[in-house]
Amino acid sequence: MKAVVIGGGIIGLCSAYYLSEAGYDVTLVDRTDLSDSCSYGNLGMIVPSHFVPLAAPGIVSQGIRWMFNSKSPFYVRPVPTPSLLSWGVKFLRSATEKNVTNATSFLLDINLLSRSLYEDLKDEPGFDFAYEHKGIMMYFRTPQVAEEEVHLAEKAKSMGLDVVSLSKDEAQRLEPEMELDVLGAVHYRCDAHLYPNKLNKQLIRELASRGVNVITGSEVKAIQTKKGQIASIIVGEREISADIFVAAAGAWLPHIMQLAGSNIPLMPGKGYSFTLDNPTQKLNIPAILCEARVAITPMDGKMRYGGTMELGPVNRQVNMNRVQGIVQSVPSYFSNIQLQMPQREEVWYGFRPCSPDGLPYIGYSKQLSNLIVAGGHAMMGLSLGPATGKLVAELASRGGSTSINISAFDPNRFS
């Protein structure tokens, strides 16, 4: 049986990995050279703690306030395209307590599955991606956010997650080199982190060693269908046929689906990061600065800082105001970290693929019976990569039966 995976980010790489493990003859195609996808510059966090979808009550009013601040964590580019307006309407309809309640168990289960698979993968020969299971610290500075985070921690605890709320002094003991200017923190000890740059390169090398045919630098020009199935795809000058096709194209997923005669609501959410190779101060445990929506991860001896969500059409501009917002927020939490603004060429950016309800798309297309959709993971692509790849392989091999319930991730739910 032959499988073609369209997309070479973490979702595509993991899909190819587990399809190969299941015995498929796999071809992976990507429009880039696989050296700088959204999977490289992210913060490397594996987050069972993130069981609340992006579309949640309160995010709309908060997002509107942020939109008028060029340094804020959230921004919508003022380009009112039909796709952005349609996505926005669906997002507004999804940002409800009911959506959060329905999504919680699904997001938790897939995150726990993925963490388990990472723990297996790190012990496989040829893999050493600086995996550490130290948890993640959620730092807060204001009473309102403290109340929200402690409440969420209690919910996480009731769901079986290893989490503890900490006073400032208790948090300080876990970060003795930092000068904390916070009210306290929540330590999600259930979480982990890794160095994505190593992980991606090692997955690519492993795929090559397994005989996976990797085609880079070529876009999918056409998708040819016959009798309700994909017969072949045209990649550059090649025509590639297979039994199963996987659309894992990240922010470019809507384009691939349109070539297949389908529509799927998804918007790119641009994020920025920069990495210090020899930091003067280094955190012991990865951190999220709650009010600022900034993440910091120590990884493989380095420190990576990242954040912001800029919704809009794909663009290659680096908005240094948004990077400045990240830089200026850090000393508000760690007074002994005084960051210098990075040079424009030192700033990485990538496009997170965001669905309107904050849930990924994983499952078969209803229009084409041999097309599996795997995308829309937003900020959790790295966290959910192995689980998604495993589920893709199970869908392909078992005809729809999977090890966890993925009905909430139905890629046809907006059609």
Side-chain angles (χ1 to χ4, degrees):
M1 295 284 283
K2 294 183 178 180
V4 170
V5 177
I6 303 170
I10 188 63
I11 303 300
L13 292 175
C14 286
S15 296
Y17 177 87
Y18 287 103
L19 282 166
S20 173
E21 194 172 72
Y24 278 82
D25 178 2
V26 182
T27 297
L28 183 143
V29 301
D30 193 270
R31 54 193 294 278
T32 74
D33 64 0
L34 301 185
S35 67
D36 191 32
S37 70
C38 194
S39 306
Y40 279 85
N42 67 70
L43 275 293
M45 294 179 172
I46 301 159
V47 284
S49 61
H50 284 37
F51 53 81
V52 176
L54 182 63
I59 193 65
V60 175
S61 58
Q62 189 178 45
I64 291 171
R65 291 195 301 272
W66 277 336
M67 280 177 62
F68 298 99
N69 180 353
S70 65
K71 299 177 184 176
S72 71
F74 179 76
Y75 179 64
V76 178
R77 289 182 63 83
V79 185
T81 63
S83 59
L84 177 57
L85 293 173
S86 174
W87 186 95
V89 169
K90 292 180 176 66
F91 181 87
L92 290 172
R93 290 174 178 167
S94 299
T96 65
E97 192 62 49
K98 181 181 179 182
N99 176 52
V100 171
T101 300
N102 291 343
T104 295
S105 62
F106 291 95
L107 286 176
L108 179 60
D109 286 350
I110 191 172
N111 264 297
L112 289 174
L113 172 61
S114 216
R115 189 191 65 187
S116 174
L117 291 170
Y118 268 125
E119 289 172 351
D120 293 339
L121 189 63
K122 71 178 175 59
D123 296 326
E124 289 293 320
F127 285 98
D128 177 16
F129 40 83
Y131 178 92
E132 295 187 78
H133 194 159
K134 291 184 174 181
I136 289 174
M137 298 281 277
M138 305 286 290
Y139 289 100
F140 44 79
R141 301 186 71 246
T142 61
Q144 178 184 347
V145 174
E147 183 179 353
E148 291 169 357
E149 291 299 323
V150 170
H151 175 73
L152 190 61
E154 290 302 315
K155 183 175 181 180
K157 196 179 297 183
S158 72
M159 296 168 66
L161 292 179
D162 184 6
V163 54
V164 60
S165 298
L166 304 174
S167 67
K168 176 184 176 180
D169 289 342
E170 290 169 329
Q172 184 70 75
R173 283 195 283 273
L174 293 177
E175 291 290 358
E177 295 183 18
M178 295 295 120
E179 295 175 7
L180 299 185
D181 187 7
V182 298
L183 292 181
V186 171
H187 186 191
Y188 283 92
R189 297 184 293 206
C190 53
D191 291 355
H193 70 283
L194 53 79
Y195 187 31
N197 303 57
K198 280 189 170 182
L199 172 66
N200 282 273
K201 291 175 182 176
Q202 290 166 10
L203 278 169
I204 293 167
R205 187 177 63 214
E206 176 64 20
L207 293 180
S209 73
R210 292 184 176 196
V212 171
N213 182 23
V214 178
I215 301 171
T216 60
S218 297
E219 291 194 38
V220 176
K221 293 182 177 180
I223 294 178
Q224 299 179 329
T225 62
K226 184 178 181 181
K227 296 181 180 179
Q229 289 193 328
I230 296 179
S232 63
I233 63 173
I234 306 300
V235 182
E237 302 303 317
R238 299 179 177 92
E239 180 175 358
I240 305 173
S241 301
D243 302 287
I244 290 288
F245 293 82
V246 181
W252 286 266
L253 180 62
H255 173 65
I256 297 300
M257 295 302 289
Q258 284 172 1
L259 291 177
S262 232
N263 289 310
I264 198 161
L266 185 144
M267 286 302 298
K270 185 194 279 187
Y272 296 96
S273 75
F274 57 93
T275 305
L276 302 182
D277 289 337
N278 298 294
T280 305
Q281 291 89 15
K282 189 170 68 173
L283 287 173
N284 178 41
I285 302 169
I288 293 177
L289 315 182
C290 292
E291 291 87 353
R293 300 295 175 97
V294 166
I296 311 170
T297 306
M299 47 175 68
D300 203 37
K302 311 173 192 297
M303 280 274 278
R304 180 168 291 173
Y305 297 83
T308 85
M309 175 69 82
E310 185 178 307
L311 285 174
V314 168
N315 70 90
R316 302 292 177 181
Q317 298 171 346
V318 176
N319 188 335
M320 293 302 286
N321 278 338
R322 310 200 65 69
V323 179
Q324 189 174 21
I326 296 171
V327 170
Q328 291 179 343
S329 69
V330 175
S332 301
Y333 295 78
F334 308 115
S335 56
N336 63 327
I337 297 183
Q338 300 296 325
L339 293 175
Q340 300 295 315
M341 270 291 288
Q343 298 298 309
R344 187 180 297 267
E345 58 270 18
E346 296 173 325
V347 175
W348 176 93
Y349 63 87
F351 302 98
R352 310 179 189 100
C354 300
S355 70
D357 59 3
L359 299 176
Y361 299 117
I362 307 172
Y364 276 99
S365 163
K366 70 178 181 182
Q367 286 90 3
L368 297 164
S369 61
N370 64 340
L371 174 62
I372 298 173
V373 181
H377 294 73
M379 294 172 287
M380 292 190 290
L382 187 282
S383 184
L384 299 181
T388 302
K390 183 73 171 177
L391 291 165
V392 164
E394 289 176 349
L395 286 166
S397 303
R398 301 180 184 177
S401 174
T402 53
S403 52
I404 60 170
N405 185 352
I406 61 170
S407 58
F409 308 144
D410 182 4
N412 310 291
R413 61 186 181 270
F414 290 106
S415 60

